[in-house]
Amino acid sequence: MQHQQNFYGLPVVTVPQYTPATLLPEAGSVAWRLATGPYTTDEDYHDYWKRFTSTVELEKVRALVLGFGAHYMPDQELIDLSSRLTGLEALFLNDLEDDEEMISSIEQGDLAPLLEAFPNLRELVVRGGGGLAFPVSGHAGLRSLRIESGGLPPATAADIAAADLPSLERLELWLGDDWYGGGTTVEQLAPLLAGEGKPALRHLGVQNSPIQDELAAVVASAPVVPRLTSLSLSMGTLSDEGAAALLHGQPLVHLEELDLSHHYLSHAMMLRIWTALEPAGVRVNLLGRQEPDQEEDDEEWDDEDGRNGRYVAVSE
């Protein structure tokens, strides 16, 4: 995982150490990244946060990226400033690299109070799924939601699938590994795949899953697919079985892009996909071909585990 360089169409600028307000960029021209630590500032985070909130015109801030140090801050501190952060449209929670904290160790909380406090929020990105909850019945303004997780709690995935998000255009769910708190089933995603509650959805990513073949088989006939312009089943354990289900299902030639990167497809299946979709103008991403781990030669373990040497791209 890497730090964001651009977010919400804005360059990310880390709030520097002890910089006078006169030297800071205009509040709405950048995505403000708050982070403490050895590569940024040795200030106490509370002093750092107080300095930011007292020197930057919060009413003009459009995007916030919360990095190391900020990920320890209770959401309530951000919520308490909602009356001043009236222009906030985009929020990235826990912009952490692996050497700061592994994605499977990043703890979250209940996102409902945060979304309620910021009804004008258009884009939300969350890195880490431990303890994440989404008991949100609806949010009228949200247009883009991405959950980057090595193990997304199944109940949370189910709540997102069922939520009423009428303005949502882009949704990416990294379901992650069972070993790290994942385990979402296709049944829990049924409302999403049926096209319920998200009439504006144009991009769907159901990614980073060990059940990618099963998901592909369901997506092959899912009612939500005809309205999409792009679809991602990337980062998971997709094999020829899942890819064949996609090709034998409903037409995908209306898509602008199909992302299947990080997969376990044979060269012959890759050629079949290219031949079926590329001439129709679909951009197909088949980068990152993986080979099953040949060291897993314990058949009893493989059968019990169901992985057969295949792994998701992001877990720990």
Side-chain angles (χ1 to χ4, degrees):
M1 309 302 294
Q2 296 182 332
H3 290 151
Q4 296 296 295
Q5 302 300 314
N6 291 276
F7 180 54
Y8 199 58
L10 300 170
V12 173
V13 171
T14 301
V15 178
Q17 185 174 19
Y18 310 119
T19 300
T22 55
L23 298 180
L24 295 176
E26 197 278 324
S29 66
V30 300
W32 294 96
R33 182 174 184 268
L34 290 107
T36 58
Y39 304 111
T40 51
T41 173
D42 56 3
E43 283 181 270
D44 174 81
Y45 184 78
H46 295 287
D47 293 339
Y48 178 75
W49 175 248
K50 183 177 180 180
R51 180 166 60 82
F52 170 72
T53 59
S54 62
T55 55
V56 174
E57 295 180 271
L58 295 188
E59 294 78 8
K60 296 182 179 180
V61 171
R62 298 174 58 203
L64 281 177
V65 178
L66 304 184
F68 189 84
H71 72 300
Y72 293 123
M73 182 181 74
D75 289 347
Q76 189 60 47
E77 291 193 37
L78 187 60
I79 292 171
D80 289 343
L81 286 173
S82 59
S83 61
R84 293 180 60 196
L85 286 165
T86 52
L88 188 65
E89 297 178 349
L91 180 62
F92 193 119
L93 299 178
N94 301 323
D95 179 33
L96 304 176
E97 293 187 334
D98 289 343
D99 61 351
E100 294 172 322
E101 189 156 356
M102 301 299 289
I103 193 169
S104 60
S105 301
I106 301 173
E107 289 296 318
Q108 302 288 354
D110 185 344
L111 293 179
L114 196 64
L115 287 170
E116 183 178 357
F118 295 98
N120 296 323
L121 199 67
R122 295 185 175 188
E123 181 167 349
L124 176 62
V125 180
V126 180
R127 180 170 292 169
L132 185 68
F134 198 91
V136 178
S137 59
H139 189 285
L142 200 62
R143 297 181 181 178
S144 179
L145 174 63
R146 182 167 85 246
I147 309 293
E148 300 179 355
S149 172
L152 183 62
T156 303
D159 284 343
I160 294 172
D164 184 15
L165 303 171
S167 300
L168 195 70
E169 299 172 359
R170 296 184 60 86
L171 175 62
E172 294 184 26
L173 299 177
W174 297 13
L175 300 180
D177 199 293
D178 301 18
W179 290 348
Y180 295 96
T184 299
T185 66
V186 291
E187 289 77 16
Q188 289 170 311
L189 299 176
L192 170 62
L193 299 176
E196 300 173 6
K198 301 169 184 64
L201 195 65
R202 295 298 177 265
H203 170 79
L204 175 60
V206 186
Q207 302 163 239
N208 201 45
S209 170
I211 59 166
Q212 214 71 2
D213 283 344
E214 188 177 351
L215 284 167
V218 175
V219 164
S221 60
V224 72
V225 171
R227 76 173 65 151
L228 301 177
T229 57
S230 56
L231 172 66
S232 178
L233 296 173
S234 65
M235 304 174 63
T237 60
L238 186 70
S239 72
D240 285 8
E241 178 183 350
L246 280 178
L247 290 177
H248 291 135
Q250 60 188 313
L252 299 175
V253 292
H254 68 288
L255 294 174
E256 295 176 4
E257 182 174 5
L258 175 64
D259 185 359
L260 302 179
S261 57
H262 187 279
H263 57 82
Y264 290 83
L265 304 181
S266 66
H267 291 291
M269 179 57 72
M270 292 171 66
L271 181 59
R272 284 183 59 190
I273 294 172
W274 278 94
T275 302
L277 298 177
E278 282 287 333
V282 182
R283 296 191 303 274
V284 181
N285 186 346
L286 290 170
L287 295 175
R289 181 178 182 271
Q290 307 293 311
E291 290 282 358
D293 188 349
Q294 298 300 319
E295 293 184 3
E296 288 201 355
D297 54 5
D298 187 334
E299 295 183 3
E300 181 178 351
W301 173 266
D302 284 349
D303 289 343
E304 178 182 339
D305 186 64
R307 298 171 189 273
N308 296 317
R310 292 183 283 154
Y311 295 93
V312 300
V314 177
S315 55
E316 60 180 345

